[in-house]
Short mmCIF file of all heavy atoms in Angstrom, two decimals:
data_model
loop_
_atom_site.label_atom_id
_atom_site.label_comp_id
_atom_site.label_asym_id
_atom_site.label_seq_id
_atom_site.Cartn_x
_atom_site.Cartn_y
_atom_site.Cartn_z
N LEU A 76 1.90 18.93 2.68
CA LEU A 76 2.42 17.57 2.88
C LEU A 76 3.24 17.15 1.67
O LEU A 76 2.88 17.43 0.53
CB LEU A 76 1.27 16.57 3.07
CG LEU A 76 0.21 16.85 4.12
CD1 LEU A 76 -0.77 15.68 4.19
CD2 LEU A 76 0.84 17.09 5.48
N LEU A 77 4.31 16.43 1.93
CA LEU A 77 5.10 15.79 0.89
C LEU A 77 5.11 14.30 1.19
O LEU A 77 5.49 13.89 2.29
CB LEU A 77 6.54 16.32 0.88
CG LEU A 77 7.52 15.58 -0.04
CD1 LEU A 77 7.24 15.91 -1.50
CD2 LEU A 77 8.96 15.92 0.30
N GLU A 78 4.67 13.48 0.23
CA GLU A 78 4.72 12.04 0.44
C GLU A 78 5.81 11.43 -0.42
O GLU A 78 5.84 11.63 -1.64
CB GLU A 78 3.37 11.38 0.14
CG GLU A 78 3.41 9.89 0.41
CD GLU A 78 2.05 9.24 0.59
OE1 GLU A 78 1.03 9.94 0.49
OE2 GLU A 78 2.03 8.02 0.82
N ILE A 79 6.73 10.71 0.22
CA ILE A 79 7.81 10.02 -0.49
C ILE A 79 7.33 8.60 -0.82
O ILE A 79 6.86 7.88 0.06
CB ILE A 79 9.08 9.95 0.38
CG1 ILE A 79 9.60 11.36 0.68
CG2 ILE A 79 10.16 9.13 -0.31
CD1 ILE A 79 10.78 11.37 1.65
N GLY A 80 7.47 8.21 -2.08
CA GLY A 80 7.02 6.87 -2.47
C GLY A 80 5.51 6.75 -2.36
O GLY A 80 5.00 5.83 -1.72
N THR A 81 4.79 7.65 -3.02
CA THR A 81 3.33 7.69 -2.90
C THR A 81 2.68 6.41 -3.40
O THR A 81 1.63 6.00 -2.88
CB THR A 81 2.78 8.88 -3.72
OG1 THR A 81 3.45 10.07 -3.31
CG2 THR A 81 1.29 9.04 -3.51
N GLY A 82 3.28 5.75 -4.39
CA GLY A 82 2.69 4.52 -4.92
C GLY A 82 1.30 4.78 -5.47
O GLY A 82 1.10 5.64 -6.32
N GLY A 84 -1.27 5.82 -3.62
CA GLY A 84 -2.01 6.80 -2.81
C GLY A 84 -2.81 6.20 -1.68
O GLY A 84 -3.89 6.71 -1.34
N ALA A 85 -2.30 5.14 -1.05
CA ALA A 85 -3.05 4.45 0.01
C ALA A 85 -3.27 5.30 1.26
O ALA A 85 -4.16 5.00 2.06
CB ALA A 85 -2.32 3.16 0.40
N ASN A 86 -2.48 6.38 1.43
CA ASN A 86 -2.61 7.20 2.64
C ASN A 86 -3.54 8.40 2.50
O ASN A 86 -3.84 9.06 3.50
CB ASN A 86 -1.22 7.72 3.08
CG ASN A 86 -0.28 6.60 3.48
OD1 ASN A 86 -0.68 5.63 4.09
ND2 ASN A 86 0.98 6.74 3.10
N PHE A 87 -3.98 8.69 1.29
CA PHE A 87 -4.73 9.93 1.06
C PHE A 87 -5.96 10.06 1.97
O PHE A 87 -6.28 11.15 2.44
CB PHE A 87 -5.19 10.03 -0.40
CG PHE A 87 -4.08 10.22 -1.39
CD1 PHE A 87 -4.29 9.98 -2.74
CD2 PHE A 87 -2.83 10.66 -1.00
CE1 PHE A 87 -3.28 10.16 -3.68
CE2 PHE A 87 -1.80 10.85 -1.92
CZ PHE A 87 -2.03 10.60 -3.26
N TYR A 90 -5.51 11.95 5.35
CA TYR A 90 -5.02 13.32 5.43
C TYR A 90 -6.18 14.29 5.67
O TYR A 90 -7.28 14.08 5.15
CB TYR A 90 -4.27 13.71 4.15
CG TYR A 90 -3.04 12.88 3.86
CD1 TYR A 90 -2.49 12.83 2.58
CD2 TYR A 90 -2.42 12.13 4.86
CE1 TYR A 90 -1.36 12.07 2.29
CE2 TYR A 90 -1.29 11.38 4.59
CZ TYR A 90 -0.77 11.34 3.31
OH TYR A 90 0.34 10.59 3.04
N VAL A 96 -0.97 18.50 -1.13
CA VAL A 96 -0.15 17.29 -1.18
C VAL A 96 0.74 17.30 -2.42
O VAL A 96 0.27 17.49 -3.54
CB VAL A 96 -1.03 16.03 -1.21
CG1 VAL A 96 -0.17 14.77 -1.19
CG2 VAL A 96 -2.01 16.02 -0.04
N THR A 97 2.04 17.10 -2.20
CA THR A 97 2.98 16.85 -3.29
C THR A 97 3.36 15.38 -3.24
O THR A 97 3.80 14.88 -2.19
CB THR A 97 4.24 17.72 -3.16
OG1 THR A 97 3.88 19.10 -3.31
CG2 THR A 97 5.26 17.37 -4.24
N CYS A 98 3.17 14.68 -4.35
CA CYS A 98 3.45 13.24 -4.42
C CYS A 98 4.80 13.01 -5.12
O CYS A 98 5.08 13.66 -6.13
CB CYS A 98 2.37 12.52 -5.21
SG CYS A 98 0.70 12.79 -4.60
N THR A 99 5.59 12.11 -4.58
CA THR A 99 6.83 11.72 -5.25
C THR A 99 6.93 10.20 -5.31
O THR A 99 6.45 9.51 -4.41
CB THR A 99 8.09 12.27 -4.54
OG1 THR A 99 8.32 11.51 -3.35
CG2 THR A 99 7.94 13.74 -4.19
N ASP A 100 7.54 9.70 -6.35
CA ASP A 100 7.85 8.27 -6.43
C ASP A 100 8.95 8.09 -7.47
O ASP A 100 9.00 8.83 -8.46
CB ASP A 100 6.62 7.45 -6.83
CG ASP A 100 6.71 6.01 -6.31
OD1 ASP A 100 7.58 5.25 -6.78
OD2 ASP A 100 5.92 5.66 -5.41
N ALA A 142 4.95 18.67 6.71
CA ALA A 142 5.06 17.26 7.10
C ALA A 142 5.48 16.42 5.90
O ALA A 142 5.11 16.71 4.76
CB ALA A 142 3.72 16.75 7.64
N VAL A 143 6.28 15.41 6.18
CA VAL A 143 6.68 14.42 5.17
C VAL A 143 6.14 13.07 5.62
O VAL A 143 6.24 12.72 6.79
CB VAL A 143 8.22 14.35 5.02
CG1 VAL A 143 8.61 13.26 4.03
CG2 VAL A 143 8.79 15.69 4.58
N ILE A 144 5.55 12.34 4.69
CA ILE A 144 4.98 11.02 4.99
C ILE A 144 5.71 9.97 4.17
O ILE A 144 6.00 10.18 2.99
CB ILE A 144 3.47 10.97 4.70
CG1 ILE A 144 2.69 11.82 5.70
CG2 ILE A 144 2.95 9.54 4.77
CD1 ILE A 144 2.44 13.22 5.31
N CYS A 145 6.00 8.85 4.80
CA CYS A 145 6.76 7.78 4.14
C CYS A 145 6.29 6.45 4.73
O CYS A 145 6.57 6.16 5.89
CB CYS A 145 8.25 8.01 4.40
SG CYS A 145 9.35 6.95 3.47
N THR A 146 5.55 5.65 3.95
CA THR A 146 5.08 4.35 4.45
C THR A 146 5.47 3.25 3.48
O THR A 146 5.24 3.35 2.28
CB THR A 146 3.55 4.34 4.67
OG1 THR A 146 2.88 4.58 3.44
CG2 THR A 146 3.13 5.40 5.68
#
Side-chain angles (χ1 to χ4, degrees):
L76 307 184
L77 172 73
E78 182 160 1
I79 297 174
T81 307
N86 296 322
F87 291 163
Y90 298 161
V96 183
T97 295
C98 305
T99 75
D100 207 292
V143 176
I144 290 92
C145 189
T146 61

